[in-house]
Amino acid sequence: MEEPEFDVFLSGLLFFDVVFAGLDRPPTPGTEVWTRGFGSGPGGIANFAVTLSRFGLRTSLAAAFGGDFHGDHCLQTLAGTEGVDLSRSKQFPGWTMPVTASLAYNDDRALVTHGAPPPISADEMIGDPPRSRAAIVHIGPEPARWLEKSLAGGSLVFADVGWDPSQEWAPAVLGQVALCHAFMPNAEEAMSYTRTSRPRDALSRLGDLVPLAVITLGGNGAMAVDATTGDSASVPGLDMDVVDTTGAGDVFGASLVTATLAGWPLVERLRFANLSAALSVGQIGGAPAAPGWTGVARWWRSVRTGREHHDLRRDYAFLDSVIPHEPFEG
């Protein structure tokens, strides 16, 4: 069979992120709060795309770009700087990029977003998706027709789901999960959609729907069950200084895709994704903070040469055999 054109094809909403980090408290009416950190750049689905590209995967993104300054900047960053293929993306001259302001404080963040829906749907933009080893989709109320085409072409489909502003958490959304190889919600999303009260119970329910079910637990790590191997695993969080959690879940998901395509054991996939996300929260932003192989290699060198970290050296010893000799920039 012909080699897939890309390792990963993905589609979703793109935002221009403006991140204010280092707040001691959230702003209140009538006051002004100064921050100790600031960053900006492409966000949303770009967090996935940049993470994948920095791990050396051939990455293709279908997204709508505004015809304004922010759209131009995101285009240049993704295609020119990060090497992401945008052949299935489109820029719309009369449409402005959605903008998200992220306010980071107390090891979490609050988001404020302004924008209008893209002029056309993802299905209209994509048409026939390119052949890829994996596809990533953000599940929403409306099914994505391009997803079935990717599945028919042999792609492993990885899905996540976002916050439901109605807080109805319609179980029908999980009907789309049946098309997927993997589903990667966070704990609150997983429990809300499965009507359970514990992440472990939610994982059990999701494990009946997809071959690979993964639940992220924020700073407490992640858990997963893989029906293709019969394995289950959980990993604790890593003790890192938190600057900004924006996009950490996306970095986790993209790193899990990277490790899954590499064929690693489940516990190593979780540890790798957990590490990538933990490294990202030490920097400002989502996509800009994606560590890539360079960031992972730098962290591993510090752990290996330290006098402490005995458990980390044991748990992450597999990095010796997977980090490229010449890490990709990132």
Side-chain angles (χ1 to χ4, degrees):
M1 182 179 291
E2 184 182 352
E3 174 74 12
E5 185 179 358
F6 297 101
D7 292 311
V8 184
F9 175 71
L10 64 164
S11 180
L13 292 177
L14 185 69
F15 301 84
F16 183 80
D17 281 356
V18 178
V19 182
F20 299 91
L23 281 79
D24 295 319
R25 62 189 184 281
T28 57
T31 68
E32 180 179 14
V33 177
W34 284 72
T35 71
R36 294 185 297 276
F38 174 82
S40 63
I45 195 64
N47 300 333
F48 274 95
V50 170
T51 302
L52 292 162
S53 187
R54 290 185 179 183
F55 281 130
L57 275 68
R58 300 167 299 163
T59 304
S60 180
L61 169 66
F65 289 78
D68 53 357
F69 167 81
H70 295 145
D72 290 340
H73 177 76
C74 289
L75 270 168
Q76 176 57 40
T77 299
L78 290 171
T81 304
E82 301 294 345
V84 176
D85 172 78
L86 299 179
S87 59
R88 294 288 196 297
S89 293
K90 187 171 182 180
Q91 188 171 25
F92 297 93
W95 182 68
T96 57
M97 286 287 296
V99 175
T100 293
S102 177
L103 308 178
Y105 59 94
N106 292 341
D107 293 350
D108 207 337
R109 81 281 186 270
L111 305 176
V112 180
T113 298
H114 171 76
I120 64 175
S121 69
D123 287 320
E124 293 174 295
M125 190 185 317
I126 295 168
D128 292 326
R131 291 187 64 249
S132 59
R133 298 170 62 202
I136 297 176
V137 64
H138 182 83
I139 290 179
E142 297 298 325
R145 293 191 300 273
W146 70 265
L147 194 58
E148 296 188 24
K149 296 178 181 179
S150 286
L151 185 66
S155 296
L156 290 178
V157 177
F158 293 75
D160 73 348
V161 68
W163 174 260
D164 181 358
S166 72
Q167 298 195 43
E168 295 178 355
W169 309 102
V173 171
L174 295 183
Q176 300 177 55
V177 174
L179 294 174
C180 302
H181 172 75
F183 186 45
M184 311 176 291
N186 65 36
E188 185 169 359
E189 294 160 352
M191 291 186 294
S192 296
Y193 278 111
T194 59
R195 294 344 191 226
T196 55
S197 57
R198 299 188 308 168
R200 180 65 62 183
D201 294 334
L203 183 66
S204 178
R205 296 277 185 89
L206 296 178
D208 293 333
L209 301 178
V210 286
L212 176 61
V214 182
I215 294 180
T216 58
L217 306 171
N220 293 319
M223 59 176 64
V225 58
D226 188 342
T228 66
T229 62
D231 293 332
S232 62
S234 62
V235 297
L238 292 170
D239 186 15
M240 301 280 193
D241 292 333
V242 177
V243 175
D244 173 30
T245 63
T246 303
D250 298 335
V251 172
F252 178 99
S255 303
L256 184 78
V257 173
T258 300
T260 300
L261 291 180
W264 302 349
L266 180 61
V267 68
E268 292 180 4
R269 285 182 268 165
L270 286 185
R271 283 178 176 145
F272 181 73
N274 194 48
L275 170 62
S276 293
L279 291 174
S280 76
V281 302
Q283 306 293 326
I284 296 175
W293 284 120
T294 299
V296 169
R298 184 183 303 117
W299 176 83
W300 182 230
R301 283 195 299 270
S302 70
V303 169
R304 288 188 64 188
T305 57
R307 294 187 176 183
E308 301 177 351
H309 311 304
H310 302 293
D311 291 344
L312 291 178
R313 284 199 291 272
R314 178 199 64 213
D315 292 344
Y316 285 88
F318 70 93
L319 290 178
D320 277 330
S321 61
V322 302
I323 295 176
H325 293 301
E326 297 181 4
F328 296 86
E329 293 301 319

